């Protein structure tokens, strides 16, 4: 009888150790995936900032030449040509300046960096965004959602001819909810596993962004709807205000 009790206790102890080791291993894998995901975000953010910096640097490089041209127009008394040149410069500078003004500094930063990168990739972008003064979702969570949505949209467009690339973005208030809509061209029908949408990429870690969006929306008592039809992939997110 004592032997059976000893064996039972020993078995329980071994089982506890196995469970503990398994939990440690799963936590280790989760930490590695999170670290890889954060590194990927940092690299993308670097590329976005570098792209915007290159635009500003290019304009500054030409600044002296622009001044010389305008001085020449003034010296020659060509007022109309001078004004026309200023108009062209203003349009050119608008492309370097903020593309969207949402009313939220964080959203302006991430949206403009992502849109700037999309334009550099020759993706047509149609965007309209306004952000209410008060939000129930944190700015960090919102940045993760927007960043992943636009990253996925750009990656899907990259597989298509330049003439077919586009992203449509709308952010605003809709029926007392905070509404986010992103649609983009997509050549490959996304696969599903039950109700879950699978990434089209072969690397399994690339599906982590979709899961992050779903978890954040669920945490904030929101709703996600994804649809694919006629070569257009659309994501709608509703969050309570």
């Amino acid at each position: 009888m004592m032997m059976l009790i000893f064996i039972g206790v020993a078995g329980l102890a071994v089982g506890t150790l196995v469970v503990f080791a398994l939990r440690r291993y799963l936590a280790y894998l989760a930490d590695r995936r999170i670290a890889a995901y954060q590194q990927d975000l940092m690299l993308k953010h670097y590329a976005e900032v570098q792209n915007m910096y290159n635009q500003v640097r290019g304009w500054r490089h030409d600044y002296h030449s622009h001044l010389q041209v305008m001085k020449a127009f003034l010296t020659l008394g060509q007022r109309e040509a001078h004004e026309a040149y200023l108009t062209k410069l203003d349009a050119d500078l608008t492309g370097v300046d903020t593309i969207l003004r949402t009313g939220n500094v964080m959203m302006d930063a991430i949206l403009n960096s992502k849109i700037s990168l999309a334009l550099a990739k020759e993706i047509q972008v149609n965007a309209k965004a306004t952000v209410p003064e008060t939000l129930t979702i944190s700015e960090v969570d919102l940045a993760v959602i927007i960043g992943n949505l636009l990253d996925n949209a750009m990656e899907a467009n990259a597989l298509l001819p330049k003439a077919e690339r586009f992203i449509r973005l709308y952010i605003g208030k809709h029926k007392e909810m905070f509404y986010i809509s992103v649609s983009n061209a997509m050549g490959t029908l996304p696969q599903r596993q039950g109700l879950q949408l699978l990434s089209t990429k072969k690397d399994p870690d690339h599906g982590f962004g979709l899961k992050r969006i779903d978890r954040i929306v669920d945490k904030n008592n929101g709703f996600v709807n994804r649809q694919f039809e006629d070569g257009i992939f659309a994501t709608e997110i509703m969050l309570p205000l």
Side-chain angles (χ1 to χ4, degrees):
M1 185 66 178
M2 292 295 295
M3 179 63 69
L4 291 176
I5 294 174
F6 175 77
I7 293 174
V9 172
L12 181 61
V14 171
T16 301
L17 289 174
V18 170
V19 170
F20 178 75
L22 180 60
R23 287 179 177 174
R24 288 284 301 272
Y25 179 68
L26 291 176
Y28 168 74
L29 291 179
D31 288 342
R32 285 192 59 186
R33 293 187 66 186
I34 292 173
Y37 178 72
Q38 290 175 335
Q39 182 180 12
D40 186 49
L41 285 181
M42 289 176 61
L43 292 174
K44 288 177 180 176
H45 180 65
Y46 172 81
E48 293 155 11
V49 173
Q50 185 66 33
N51 178 68
M52 296 186 74
Y53 172 74
N54 288 339
Q55 290 185 29
V56 175
R57 185 175 61 179
W59 203 92
R60 289 181 60 186
H61 179 267
D62 297 333
Y63 181 72
H64 181 72
S65 298
H66 294 318
L67 287 178
Q68 295 301 317
V69 171
M70 288 187 289
K71 285 180 179 179
F73 284 139
L74 290 175
T75 301
L76 296 172
Q78 298 179 2
R79 182 181 178 84
E80 292 183 359
H82 180 261
E83 291 180 351
Y85 195 82
L86 280 176
T87 300
K88 290 180 181 179
L89 282 181
D90 182 60
D92 185 45
L93 185 58
T94 300
V96 179
D97 195 10
T98 302
I99 301 169
L100 281 180
R101 297 183 188 274
T102 68
N104 181 286
V105 175
M106 183 282 299
M107 284 290 286
D108 287 350
I110 190 167
L111 283 174
N112 287 307
S113 64
K114 295 293 184 183
I115 292 174
S116 175
L117 189 61
L119 294 175
K121 295 176 180 291
E122 300 185 68
I123 300 173
Q124 181 183 355
V125 179
N126 186 344
K128 182 178 180 180
T130 55
V131 178
E133 292 184 3
T134 57
L135 294 171
T136 57
I137 185 173
S138 73
E139 290 191 337
V140 173
D141 283 349
L142 189 56
V144 172
I145 289 175
I146 298 299
N148 276 291
L149 287 175
L150 293 179
D151 284 344
N152 291 341
M154 283 188 279
E155 287 163 356
N157 272 284
L159 303 175
L160 298 173
K162 294 177 181 178
E164 298 178 14
R165 299 175 184 175
F166 73 84
I167 295 175
R168 300 190 189 107
L169 166 73
Y170 177 79
I171 299 174
K173 185 177 179 181
H174 179 68
K175 295 182 179 179
E176 301 304 319
M177 299 285 283
F178 185 48
Y179 178 71
I180 302 169
S181 173
V182 175
S183 58
N184 57 270
M186 188 173 190
T188 304
L189 179 68
Q191 298 179 347
R192 289 184 179 272
Q193 187 176 60
L195 297 176
Q196 184 179 4
L197 184 72
L198 300 178
S199 173
T200 57
K201 302 165 202 165
K202 294 181 180 180
D203 187 347
D205 285 339
H206 277 294
F208 193 53
L210 296 175
K211 294 177 183 177
R212 286 278 288 162
I213 292 174
D214 291 345
R215 288 171 184 168
I216 290 173
V217 173
D218 183 64
K219 181 181 72 174
N220 287 274
N221 300 313
F223 171 76
V224 180
N225 179 38
R226 297 184 177 96
Q227 298 291 333
F228 179 82
E229 186 175 357
D230 297 331
I232 299 176
F233 184 74
T235 302
E236 291 181 309
I237 295 176
M238 303 282 282
L239 297 165
L241 286 173

